[in-house]
C-alpha cells in the first residue's frame, strides 16, 4: 500500500480527496472499529422496526430523519449548501447505491433468511469492494496480499458466525440474492464517491447523499407500502432512533472520513468486523454464550487484517516509536 500523501485538515470538516491508496493509520483503524461497533448493532434495530413497518418504510424513516439531522448540523456549522447540478447528480447516484438499493434489499432479505446468514453475506462487501476498487482505480490494484487477506477475513466472519450457516446458502433463494445485491451496491458506492464527490466536507457529502436517497425512497415507499405510518410500539421508536441518528447520520460522517484517510478498498473492511461485533454485543447485552468457533473466526479475521495492512501497521509503529504518542487533532501526520 502507499503511504499517506498529505496531512488531513480538521477532522470535523475535512474534504474528500483523490489521494493515493493509503496505509491504515491508527486513526483510520480506530474510526473503522467504531463504525463496525455502530453498524454491528444495526441488524437488531432494523429487525425490530420490521415487526411493525415494511422494508421501504423502514428505509424512508432511516434516510429521512438522518438527512434532517445532518442539514441541521450543516446549518449550525455555517457550511455552504452546494448548488452545482453535477454535485447533486453525484448525490443522487450515491444515495441510490449506498442507501436506497442496499438498505431496501437487505431489509427485505432479513424478513426471509437468518440473521447469521445475512451477516455472512453482508461481509462479502469487502470482497466486492476490493475488486471494484481494483477495476476502477490504478492505485488500488488487487495485489496478492490484498487477495489473500480479504479471503482470510471473509473466512473468519463465516467461522465466527458458524460454518453450519453456510449450509443454508442457496443461490435460488431470493432473500439471499437480495442481500448479495446489496453488498455489490455498497462496493460500487465506494467507487462512485471517490469519482464524483471529491473535495466536499463529509457533512455536506453525507447530507446530500441522504437527501437524494429520501427523494427516491419516499415516493417508492408510498406507492408500494402506503403512506408512512407513525410507529406505535416504543421499541420501534427506539429502533428508528438508533439506526437513523447513530447508525446513519453519525456513522456516515465517519464513513466519509475513513474514505478520505484510507481509500475505498480499505473502507470496505468494516464489513468484515460488523458480524463479530454483533456476536460480542449479543453476548454482553443478551447473555448469549459465545461458542468456541467464534474465537477461531476472530483469529482468522485478525490474520486477514494483518495480511491486508501489515505494511501500514509497521509504518504506523515506526512513526510512533517505542513510546505511544497521541495523534495531532488536525489528523494523522504526512511523515513516512
Amino acid at each position: 500500500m502507499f503511504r499517506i500523501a498529505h496531512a488531513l485538515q480538521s477532522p470535523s470538516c475535512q474534504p474528500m480527496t483523490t489521494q493515493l491508496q493509503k496505509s491504515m493509520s491508527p486513526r483510520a483503524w480506530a474510526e473503522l472499529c467504531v463504525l463496525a461497533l455502530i453498524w454491528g448493532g444495526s441488524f437488531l434495530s432494523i429487525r425490530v422496526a420490521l415487526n411493525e413497518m415494511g422494508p421501504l418504510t423502514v428505509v424512508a424513516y432511516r434516510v429521512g430523519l438522518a438527512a434532517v439531522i445532518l442539514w441541521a448540523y450543516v446549518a449550525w456549522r455555517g457550511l455552504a449548501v452546494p448548488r452545482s447540478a453535477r454535485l447533486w447528480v453525484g448525490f443522487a447516484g450515491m444515495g441510490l447505491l449506498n442507501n436506497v438499493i442496499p438498505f431496501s434489499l437487505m431489509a427485505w432479505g432479513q424478513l426471509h433468511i437468518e440473521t447469521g446468514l445475512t451477516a455472512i453475506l453482508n461481509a462479502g462487501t469487502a470482497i466486492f469492494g476490493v475488486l471494484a476498487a481494483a477495476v476502477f482505480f490504478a492505485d488500488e490494484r488487487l495485489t496478492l496480499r490484498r487477495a489473500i487477506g480479504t479471503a482470510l477475513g471473509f473466512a473468519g466472519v463465516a467461522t465466527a458466525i458458524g460454518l453450519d450457516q453456510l449450509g443454508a446458502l442457496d443461490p435460488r433463494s431470493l432473500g439471499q440474492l437480495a442481500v448479495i445485491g446489496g453488498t455489490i451496491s455498497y462496493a460500487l458506492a465506494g467507487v462512485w464517491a471517490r469519482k464524483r464527490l471529491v473535495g466536499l466536507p463529509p457533512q455536506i457529502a453525507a447530507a446530500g447523499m441522504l437527501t437524494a436517497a429520501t427523494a427516491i425512497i419516499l415516493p417508492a415507499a408510498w406507492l408500494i407500502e402506503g403512506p408512512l405510518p407513525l410507529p406505535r410500539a416504543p421499541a420501534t421508536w427506539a429502533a428508528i432512533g438508533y439506526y437513523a441518528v447513530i447508525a446513519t447520520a453519525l456513522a456516515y460522517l465517519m464513513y466519509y472520513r475513513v474514505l478520505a484517510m484510507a481509500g475505498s478498498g480499505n473502507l470496505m473492511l468494516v464489513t468484515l468486523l460488523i458480524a463479530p461485533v454483533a456476536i460480542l454485543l449479543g453476548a454482553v447485552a443478551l447473555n448469549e454464550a459465545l461458542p468456541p468457533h467464534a474465537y477461531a473466526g476472530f483469529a482468522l479475521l485478525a490474520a486477514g487484517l494483518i495480511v491486508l495492512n501489515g505494511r501500514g501497521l509497521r509504518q504506523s509503529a515506526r512513526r510512533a516509536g517505542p513510546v505511544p504518542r497521541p495523534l495531532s487533532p488536525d489528523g494523522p501526520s504526512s511523515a513516512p
Side-chain angles (χ1 to χ4, degrees), residues 248-283:
T248 305
L250 174 62
Y252 275 124
L253 292 179
M254 298 184 64
Y255 173 95
Y256 284 107
R257 287 162 56 96
V258 178
L259 179 67
M261 285 189 284
S264 59
N266 285 331
L267 178 59
M268 292 300 101
L269 297 178
V270 69
T271 61
L272 294 177
L273 300 173
I274 288 174
V277 167
I279 294 175
L280 287 174
L281 290 177

Short mmCIF file of all heavy atoms in Angstrom, two decimals, residues 248-283:
data_model
loop_
_atom_site.label_atom_id
_atom_site.label_comp_id
_atom_site.label_asym_id
_atom_site.label_seq_id
_atom_site.Cartn_x
_atom_site.Cartn_y
_atom_site.Cartn_z
N THR A 248 -26.79 5.97 11.02
CA THR A 248 -26.83 6.62 9.71
C THR A 248 -26.20 8.01 9.76
O THR A 248 -25.16 8.24 9.17
CB THR A 248 -28.26 6.69 9.17
OG1 THR A 248 -28.83 5.38 9.17
CG2 THR A 248 -28.28 7.22 7.75
N ALA A 249 -26.81 8.96 10.48
CA ALA A 249 -26.30 10.33 10.50
C ALA A 249 -24.87 10.38 11.01
O ALA A 249 -23.97 10.91 10.35
CB ALA A 249 -27.22 11.21 11.35
N LEU A 250 -24.64 9.84 12.20
CA LEU A 250 -23.29 9.85 12.77
C LEU A 250 -22.35 8.95 11.99
O LEU A 250 -21.21 9.33 11.68
CB LEU A 250 -23.35 9.41 14.24
CG LEU A 250 -22.00 9.24 14.93
CD1 LEU A 250 -21.24 10.57 14.98
CD2 LEU A 250 -22.20 8.69 16.34
N ALA A 251 -22.83 7.76 11.65
CA ALA A 251 -21.94 6.79 11.01
C ALA A 251 -21.46 7.25 9.65
O ALA A 251 -20.30 7.01 9.28
CB ALA A 251 -22.66 5.44 10.88
N TYR A 252 -22.30 7.95 8.88
CA TYR A 252 -21.86 8.35 7.56
C TYR A 252 -20.89 9.52 7.57
O TYR A 252 -20.10 9.69 6.64
CB TYR A 252 -23.05 8.62 6.64
CG TYR A 252 -23.54 7.35 6.01
CD1 TYR A 252 -24.85 6.94 6.14
CD2 TYR A 252 -22.65 6.52 5.32
CE1 TYR A 252 -25.28 5.75 5.59
CE2 TYR A 252 -23.07 5.33 4.78
CZ TYR A 252 -24.39 4.95 4.91
OH TYR A 252 -24.80 3.76 4.37
N LEU A 253 -20.92 10.33 8.63
CA LEU A 253 -19.84 11.31 8.78
C LEU A 253 -18.50 10.58 8.91
O LEU A 253 -17.50 10.96 8.30
CB LEU A 253 -20.10 12.19 10.01
CG LEU A 253 -21.29 13.15 9.92
CD1 LEU A 253 -21.43 13.92 11.22
CD2 LEU A 253 -21.13 14.09 8.74
N MET A 254 -18.50 9.53 9.71
CA MET A 254 -17.28 8.75 9.88
C MET A 254 -16.93 8.00 8.60
O MET A 254 -15.75 7.83 8.26
CB MET A 254 -17.45 7.79 11.05
CG MET A 254 -17.70 8.46 12.37
SD MET A 254 -17.79 7.26 13.73
CE MET A 254 -16.12 6.62 13.68
N TYR A 255 -17.94 7.54 7.87
CA TYR A 255 -17.73 6.80 6.62
C TYR A 255 -16.88 7.62 5.66
O TYR A 255 -15.89 7.14 5.10
CB TYR A 255 -19.11 6.49 6.02
CG TYR A 255 -19.11 5.88 4.64
CD1 TYR A 255 -19.19 4.50 4.48
CD2 TYR A 255 -19.09 6.67 3.50
CE1 TYR A 255 -19.22 3.93 3.21
CE2 TYR A 255 -19.13 6.11 2.23
CZ TYR A 255 -19.20 4.75 2.09
OH TYR A 255 -19.23 4.18 0.84
N TYR A 256 -17.25 8.90 5.47
CA TYR A 256 -16.51 9.73 4.54
C TYR A 256 -15.12 10.08 5.07
O TYR A 256 -14.17 10.26 4.30
CB TYR A 256 -17.31 11.00 4.22
CG TYR A 256 -18.45 10.76 3.27
CD1 TYR A 256 -19.77 10.77 3.70
CD2 TYR A 256 -18.21 10.51 1.92
CE1 TYR A 256 -20.81 10.55 2.83
CE2 TYR A 256 -19.25 10.28 1.04
CZ TYR A 256 -20.55 10.31 1.50
OH TYR A 256 -21.59 10.07 0.63
N ARG A 257 -15.00 10.21 6.38
CA ARG A 257 -13.68 10.48 6.96
C ARG A 257 -12.73 9.32 6.69
O ARG A 257 -11.58 9.52 6.29
CB ARG A 257 -13.82 10.70 8.47
CG ARG A 257 -14.43 12.02 8.87
CD ARG A 257 -14.95 11.98 10.30
NE ARG A 257 -13.91 11.61 11.24
CZ ARG A 257 -13.19 12.49 11.94
NH1 ARG A 257 -13.38 13.78 11.75
NH2 ARG A 257 -12.29 12.08 12.81
N VAL A 258 -13.21 8.09 6.92
CA VAL A 258 -12.36 6.93 6.68
C VAL A 258 -12.06 6.77 5.20
O VAL A 258 -10.96 6.38 4.81
CB VAL A 258 -13.00 5.65 7.26
CG1 VAL A 258 -12.13 4.43 6.98
CG2 VAL A 258 -13.21 5.79 8.77
N LEU A 259 -13.04 7.08 4.34
CA LEU A 259 -12.80 7.03 2.90
C LEU A 259 -11.66 7.95 2.50
O LEU A 259 -10.79 7.59 1.71
CB LEU A 259 -14.08 7.42 2.15
CG LEU A 259 -13.98 7.42 0.62
CD1 LEU A 259 -13.79 6.01 0.09
CD2 LEU A 259 -15.21 8.06 0.01
N ALA A 260 -11.64 9.17 3.07
CA ALA A 260 -10.58 10.12 2.75
C ALA A 260 -9.24 9.66 3.30
O ALA A 260 -8.20 9.87 2.67
CB ALA A 260 -10.94 11.50 3.32
N MET A 261 -9.25 9.02 4.46
CA MET A 261 -8.00 8.60 5.08
C MET A 261 -7.43 7.32 4.50
O MET A 261 -6.22 7.15 4.41
CB MET A 261 -8.20 8.40 6.60
CG MET A 261 -8.31 9.69 7.38
SD MET A 261 -8.29 9.39 9.18
CE MET A 261 -9.95 8.76 9.45
N ALA A 262 -8.31 6.39 4.10
CA ALA A 262 -7.84 5.02 3.82
C ALA A 262 -8.14 4.50 2.43
O ALA A 262 -7.60 3.47 2.05
CB ALA A 262 -8.44 4.07 4.87
N GLY A 263 -9.01 5.15 1.66
CA GLY A 263 -9.34 4.64 0.34
C GLY A 263 -10.55 3.72 0.38
O GLY A 263 -10.89 3.14 1.41
N SER A 264 -11.23 3.58 -0.76
CA SER A 264 -12.49 2.84 -0.81
C SER A 264 -12.29 1.35 -0.54
O SER A 264 -13.15 0.71 0.07
CB SER A 264 -13.16 3.05 -2.17
OG SER A 264 -12.32 2.62 -3.22
N GLY A 265 -11.16 0.77 -0.99
CA GLY A 265 -10.94 -0.65 -0.74
C GLY A 265 -10.79 -0.94 0.74
O GLY A 265 -11.41 -1.87 1.27
N ASN A 266 -9.97 -0.15 1.44
CA ASN A 266 -9.80 -0.35 2.87
C ASN A 266 -11.08 -0.08 3.64
O ASN A 266 -11.36 -0.73 4.66
CB ASN A 266 -8.69 0.57 3.39
CG ASN A 266 -7.30 0.10 3.02
OD1 ASN A 266 -7.07 -1.09 2.85
ND2 ASN A 266 -6.37 1.03 2.86
N LEU A 267 -11.88 0.88 3.17
CA LEU A 267 -13.12 1.20 3.85
C LEU A 267 -14.06 0.00 3.91
O LEU A 267 -14.77 -0.21 4.90
CB LEU A 267 -13.82 2.36 3.13
CG LEU A 267 -15.18 2.81 3.67
CD1 LEU A 267 -15.07 3.26 5.11
CD2 LEU A 267 -15.74 3.93 2.81
N MET A 268 -14.05 -0.82 2.86
CA MET A 268 -14.93 -1.98 2.82
C MET A 268 -14.59 -3.03 3.88
O MET A 268 -15.39 -3.92 4.17
CB MET A 268 -14.89 -2.63 1.45
CG MET A 268 -15.49 -1.79 0.32
SD MET A 268 -17.25 -1.40 0.56
CE MET A 268 -17.16 0.29 1.15
N LEU A 269 -13.40 -2.92 4.48
CA LEU A 269 -13.03 -3.88 5.51
C LEU A 269 -13.94 -3.80 6.73
O LEU A 269 -13.99 -4.73 7.53
CB LEU A 269 -11.57 -3.66 5.94
CG LEU A 269 -10.51 -3.87 4.87
CD1 LEU A 269 -9.13 -3.56 5.43
CD2 LEU A 269 -10.56 -5.28 4.34
N VAL A 270 -14.66 -2.68 6.87
CA VAL A 270 -15.55 -2.55 8.02
C VAL A 270 -16.57 -3.68 8.05
O VAL A 270 -16.98 -4.14 9.12
CB VAL A 270 -16.25 -1.17 8.03
CG1 VAL A 270 -17.25 -1.06 6.89
CG2 VAL A 270 -16.91 -0.91 9.36
N THR A 271 -16.97 -4.18 6.87
CA THR A 271 -17.98 -5.24 6.84
C THR A 271 -17.44 -6.55 7.39
O THR A 271 -18.22 -7.41 7.81
CB THR A 271 -18.49 -5.46 5.41
OG1 THR A 271 -17.40 -5.87 4.58
CG2 THR A 271 -19.10 -4.20 4.85
N LEU A 272 -16.11 -6.72 7.39
CA LEU A 272 -15.54 -7.93 7.98
C LEU A 272 -15.61 -7.89 9.50
O LEU A 272 -15.55 -8.92 10.16
CB LEU A 272 -14.08 -8.10 7.55
CG LEU A 272 -13.83 -8.37 6.06
CD1 LEU A 272 -12.35 -8.43 5.78
CD2 LEU A 272 -14.52 -9.65 5.63
N LEU A 273 -15.74 -6.68 10.07
CA LEU A 273 -15.77 -6.53 11.52
C LEU A 273 -17.18 -6.48 12.08
O LEU A 273 -17.37 -6.69 13.27
CB LEU A 273 -15.03 -5.24 11.91
CG LEU A 273 -13.55 -5.15 11.52
CD1 LEU A 273 -13.03 -3.75 11.82
CD2 LEU A 273 -12.74 -6.19 12.26
N ILE A 274 -18.17 -6.21 11.24
CA ILE A 274 -19.53 -6.00 11.73
C ILE A 274 -20.10 -7.25 12.38
O ILE A 274 -20.65 -7.20 13.49
CB ILE A 274 -20.45 -5.52 10.58
CG1 ILE A 274 -20.11 -4.08 10.20
CG2 ILE A 274 -21.92 -5.63 10.98
CD1 ILE A 274 -20.86 -3.57 9.00
N ALA A 275 -19.97 -8.41 11.70
CA ALA A 275 -20.58 -9.63 12.25
C ALA A 275 -19.95 -10.04 13.57
O ALA A 275 -20.69 -10.36 14.52
CB ALA A 275 -20.49 -10.75 11.21
N PRO A 276 -18.62 -10.07 13.73
CA PRO A 276 -18.06 -10.39 15.05
C PRO A 276 -18.49 -9.41 16.13
O PRO A 276 -18.73 -9.82 17.27
CB PRO A 276 -16.54 -10.30 14.80
CG PRO A 276 -16.39 -10.61 13.36
CD PRO A 276 -17.58 -9.98 12.70
N VAL A 277 -18.60 -8.12 15.79
CA VAL A 277 -19.08 -7.16 16.77
C VAL A 277 -20.50 -7.50 17.22
O VAL A 277 -20.84 -7.43 18.40
CB VAL A 277 -19.03 -5.73 16.19
CG1 VAL A 277 -19.81 -4.75 17.06
CG2 VAL A 277 -17.58 -5.27 16.07
N ALA A 278 -21.34 -7.90 16.26
CA ALA A 278 -22.72 -8.27 16.60
C ALA A 278 -22.74 -9.46 17.55
O ALA A 278 -23.56 -9.52 18.47
CB ALA A 278 -23.49 -8.59 15.33
N ILE A 279 -21.84 -10.41 17.35
CA ILE A 279 -21.78 -11.58 18.24
C ILE A 279 -21.39 -11.14 19.65
O ILE A 279 -21.99 -11.56 20.65
CB ILE A 279 -20.77 -12.61 17.71
CG1 ILE A 279 -21.26 -13.20 16.39
CG2 ILE A 279 -20.55 -13.73 18.72
CD1 ILE A 279 -20.27 -14.13 15.73
N LEU A 280 -20.39 -10.27 19.76
CA LEU A 280 -19.95 -9.80 21.08
C LEU A 280 -21.04 -9.00 21.78
O LEU A 280 -21.25 -9.16 22.99
CB LEU A 280 -18.69 -8.95 20.92
CG LEU A 280 -17.40 -9.69 20.58
CD1 LEU A 280 -16.28 -8.70 20.32
CD2 LEU A 280 -17.03 -10.63 21.73
N LEU A 281 -21.74 -8.15 21.04
CA LEU A 281 -22.82 -7.37 21.63
C LEU A 281 -23.92 -8.28 22.15
O LEU A 281 -24.51 -8.03 23.20
CB LEU A 281 -23.39 -6.38 20.61
CG LEU A 281 -22.49 -5.21 20.23
CD1 LEU A 281 -23.14 -4.36 19.16
CD2 LEU A 281 -22.17 -4.36 21.46
N GLY A 282 -24.22 -9.35 21.42
CA GLY A 282 -25.22 -10.30 21.88
C GLY A 282 -24.80 -11.00 23.15
O GLY A 282 -25.61 -11.23 24.05
N ALA A 283 -23.51 -11.33 23.25
CA ALA A 283 -23.01 -12.00 24.45
C ALA A 283 -23.07 -11.08 25.66
O ALA A 283 -23.41 -11.52 26.77
CB ALA A 283 -21.57 -12.47 24.21
#
